[in-house]
Amino acid sequence: MPLPQIEFELAGAGAGDVALVRRCLRGTRTAWDDFAREYQDVVVRAVRHALIRLCRRAPVQDVENVVQEIFSSLLEDSGRRLKQYSGRCSLKGWLRAVAMRRTVNYVRDERRRRGRPLDEHLLFIPESRRSEADETMAERIRRLDASLDRLNVRDRLVLRLYYLDGVPLKSIAVLLGVSRNTIWPMVTRARQRLHRKMCEP
């Protein structure tokens, strides 16, 4: 079945964006892998930012759930959703908009399930100009993320569950299949290893 012709307005999109989208829609081998490798970080950052604006926090599980939904929706029905990309803006910009809409829907559904309405006006409150302290904190967060990625899987999981997602220690112990008496030492050792990673040049 021939691929439907898609007209791209190249003023907004780069030639690389257009070529990659066309490769994905044609089902070219490795095209989706290239797409995910190139744009996954863009989508993750957009989802995390939207969650923080809406919920004041961005649990790792929620970020991963929304990102997975976004990429799945782009793949399904022979790329029906991806065909909506017209090329009038950059692919990064389009994906940020998709991520924002999907995150709003995700949070709205979760809050409706819990009987708490979503205040979408939070998305449109202007963000204040970042101060020097904000920039310093942002740099520390970038270093923290990079250091977390260098830990082993169990240390990373324990720290994310306890410090980022707020999961109680007894629940983490159940998830990992360890006794409650050993979970706090595990958290402590993981935190110490993380600190050492952050202190490395």
Side-chain angles (χ1 to χ4, degrees):
M1 182 175 179
L3 181 75
Q5 183 62 36
I6 298 177
E7 295 298 330
F8 291 94
E9 298 181 23
L10 296 177
D17 290 347
V18 174
L20 181 54
V21 169
R22 284 178 172 160
R23 285 173 55 217
C24 289
L25 294 176
R26 290 191 183 103
T28 304
R29 187 178 180 183
T30 77
W32 282 110
D33 289 339
D34 293 342
F35 185 95
R37 186 166 49 249
E38 181 72 21
Y39 294 107
Q40 182 167 354
D41 285 348
V42 173
V43 174
V44 168
R45 285 195 297 270
V47 170
R48 184 180 292 127
H49 180 77
L51 283 171
I52 289 172
R53 296 298 298 275
L54 291 166
C55 308
R56 298 181 184 273
R57 60 196 297 267
V60 173
Q61 183 176 357
D62 287 341
V63 173
E64 291 177 348
N65 286 344
V66 179
V67 171
Q68 181 62 43
E69 288 180 11
I70 290 168
F71 279 95
S72 296
S73 71
L74 293 175
L75 280 168
E76 66 189 12
D77 295 335
S78 300
R80 179 179 56 83
R81 184 70 181 273
L82 190 57
K83 291 173 186 175
Q84 296 175 10
Y85 174 61
S86 67
R88 293 173 182 164
C89 64
S90 71
L91 188 51
K92 285 183 179 180
W94 184 78
L95 286 170
R96 288 189 190 101
V98 169
M100 177 71 75
R101 287 194 298 271
R102 184 60 219 136
T103 305
V104 169
N105 290 339
Y106 177 86
V107 175
R108 184 191 295 122
D109 291 345
E110 286 295 303
R111 294 209 170 179
R112 184 182 295 128
R113 186 170 59 83
R114 298 172 189 173
R116 298 188 316 195
L118 170 65
D119 183 5
E120 294 181 28
H121 287 92
L122 292 171
L123 286 170
F124 305 103
I125 297 174
E127 295 183 87
S128 57
R129 188 178 183 85
R130 284 164 66 132
S131 65
E132 186 175 338
D134 292 331
E135 294 293 345
T136 300
M137 181 59 70
E139 177 58 29
R140 291 196 66 184
I141 291 172
R142 283 192 290 270
R143 287 182 57 207
L144 175 62
D145 282 341
S147 299
L148 274 170
D149 288 341
R150 292 161 59 197
L151 294 175
N152 65 51
V153 174
R154 174 164 284 201
D155 283 350
R156 191 162 62 242
L157 179 61
V158 164
L159 292 174
R160 288 188 184 278
L161 287 172
Y162 185 65
Y163 288 106
L164 297 181
D165 295 348
V167 178
L169 289 172
K170 61 182 181 181
S171 299
I172 298 175
V174 172
L175 287 170
L176 298 181
V178 300
S179 71
R180 295 185 184 182
N181 293 333
T182 62
I183 190 62
W184 180 244
M186 285 177 60
V187 172
T188 301
R189 287 193 296 270
R191 189 176 65 237
Q192 290 169 344
R193 284 191 278 267
L194 175 62
H195 179 70
R196 287 196 294 271
K197 293 290 186 187
M198 291 187 70
C199 292
E200 292 176 359

